[in-house]
Amino acid sequence: MPIDAHLLAVFFVTSIIAMVIPGPDMLFVLGCGMRGGPRAGLLATAGVATSEALHIAVAAAGLAALFAAVPVAFTVVRVAGAAYLIYLGVQTLRHRRDVDAAPDGVSGRRAYLNGLLTNLLNPKMVTFTVAFLPQFIDPGLGHVWAQFAILGAILIALEFLVDGTVGVLAGRIGDWLRRRHTARRRLNATVGTLFIGLGVRLAAER
């Protein structure tokens, strides 16, 4: 195997610890599951995981070097991601009372695309990937791309395991809440506020 066994074990444990700490991805998946059910929560996780695969690919190709050389590029992408999250939150708040017109909350396709876009537009994921993955790669073993691929596959599998579980459980709770109109309006208001808060947090970060 083109990767150091000790580094692989340390990477696995470190990734598990990082994954179980609630972050923007987990909160986003939680919100999608609450609004759209278990399937939406799982597909939101799939969207996030797809974007992580793309982040890993571009990180291995050195995109983070662009952010380091041209700081404004990082800022532009970060603000765009924040604006998109705030837009999702505002739309959710605007339609929080439409409980009869939109009984299914959020579709699986929308959950996937939103998960993909929100994570793609988070440049911190690129810089995190560049800062994190190389620590567990041994250039002396060669096959650096293969090492990136193995670590990336593990990271994505853990994403499904942790955030996917959160999304499915949140979806089951959301299914129960959506059968009660008053509770659903409050749920939509909570999720909308959550998305706006995530957008503001992303915009404020440096």
Side-chain angles (χ1 to χ4, degrees):
M1 185 170 65
I3 194 167
D4 184 271
H6 174 70
L7 288 177
L8 184 61
V10 175
F11 171 78
F12 185 82
V13 173
T14 305
S15 297
I16 283 284
I17 294 172
M19 286 284 184
V20 298
I21 298 173
D25 287 348
M26 183 181 289
L27 294 176
F28 179 79
V29 169
L30 176 70
C32 286
M34 293 286 283
R35 287 195 65 212
R39 181 171 178 271
L42 196 57
L43 285 173
T45 303
V48 170
T50 301
S51 69
E52 284 186 358
L54 294 174
H55 280 312
I56 291 166
V58 297
L63 182 59
L66 171 65
F67 289 156
V70 187
V72 70
F74 181 95
T75 302
V76 168
V77 176
R78 176 172 54 82
V79 171
Y84 184 68
L85 273 172
I86 293 172
Y87 166 78
L88 291 178
V90 170
Q91 290 297 103
T92 301
L93 288 175
R94 284 184 58 199
H95 299 289
R96 66 186 181 277
R97 296 184 181 276
D98 301 344
V99 294
D100 295 318
D104 295 325
V106 58
S107 68
R109 180 173 178 272
R110 174 187 272 181
Y112 175 82
L113 291 176
N114 286 344
L116 175 67
L117 288 174
T118 53
N119 209 45
L120 274 179
L121 293 174
N122 183 0
K124 282 189 175 292
M125 285 305 302
V126 178
T127 52
F128 169 79
T129 302
V130 169
F132 184 63
L133 291 186
Q135 297 183 49
F136 305 95
I137 288 175
D138 185 353
L141 294 176
H143 307 289
V144 172
W145 272 97
Q147 294 185 61
F148 262 105
I150 291 171
L151 296 179
I154 293 173
L155 201 61
I156 291 168
L158 291 176
E159 177 75 44
F160 271 105
L161 177 64
V162 177
D163 285 355
T165 299
V166 169
V168 169
L169 292 178
R172 296 196 180 281
I173 296 172
D175 280 344
W176 180 82
L177 288 174
R178 278 191 300 278
R179 289 192 287 270
R180 291 153 178 81
H181 286 189
T182 300
R184 181 173 174 178
R185 286 195 293 268
R186 291 174 181 171
L187 171 64
N188 285 348
T190 300
V191 173
T193 303
L194 173 67
F195 285 172
I196 292 173
L198 288 175
V200 172
R201 173 182 169 182
L202 180 59
E205 286 182 345
R206 293 291 184 271

